[in-house]
Amino acid sequence: LYYPYHPFDYVVDVLKTAAIDPSVTSIKVCLYRVASHSQIVDALINAQYNGKRVRVVVELAARFDEQANIAWSERLTDAGIAVIFGIPGLKVHSKLFLIDRMENGPHPQRRYAHRVWRGC
């Protein structure tokens, strides 16, 4: 997917589906800026409630969104999600996820990943 050419809804749909899929064991996400009514955060909290291991890296140095990211971090932590904050002195400006899912076959653990790529 290439943004802004493709809708971000695909990413939201994958995370919502992973949150309720009994074969998904974990979801890891890196968040830089989060919408004021985030469907992604809702999906991650739903995944945690459904027994998935959820880890989120939240960048606190997102320009003009620091307070909002702190509030989202608190909401995620309150839901029992492991939150990792950005590294001091290093700005993590990426949006990506990694989903672990158990499937049939010779290699039962499958990983699905996505990263936002912005063309130059």
Side-chain angles (χ1 to χ4, degrees):
L1 301 174
Y2 294 91
Y3 307 104
Y5 306 108
H6 295 109
F8 199 71
D9 295 347
Y10 296 128
V11 173
V12 174
D13 290 344
V14 167
L15 291 171
K16 284 180 175 180
T17 301
I20 61 172
D21 183 345
S23 297
V24 169
T25 58
S26 72
I27 301 173
K28 298 169 186 87
V29 178
C30 184
L31 299 175
Y32 178 71
R33 291 198 170 163
V34 181
S36 59
H37 300 288
S38 176
Q39 293 181 53
I40 289 177
V41 170
D42 291 341
L44 295 172
I45 291 171
N46 190 25
Q48 179 72 20
Y49 290 150
N50 287 323
K52 280 67 168 121
R53 289 184 317 268
V54 181
R55 286 212 162 136
V56 180
V57 174
V58 176
E59 178 55 65
L60 295 180
R63 198 169 86 186
F64 306 117
D65 284 335
E66 293 89 352
Q67 287 302 109
N69 282 3
I70 290 169
W72 284 120
S73 298
E74 290 172 353
R75 182 167 175 217
L76 292 165
T77 302
D78 289 346
I81 293 173
V83 175
I84 301 166
F85 299 106
I87 302 165
L90 180 65
K91 189 172 190 175
V92 179
H93 188 166
S94 61
K95 300 169 188 107
L96 50 93
F97 68 70
L98 179 65
I99 297 170
D100 289 322
R101 186 172 193 273
M102 298 304 290
E103 297 181 359
N104 293 327
H107 305 288
Q109 182 180 353
R110 301 286 296 187
R111 289 190 151 167
Y112 298 90
H114 176 71
R115 70 180 175 114
V116 170
W117 175 260
R118 295 190 186 273
C120 297

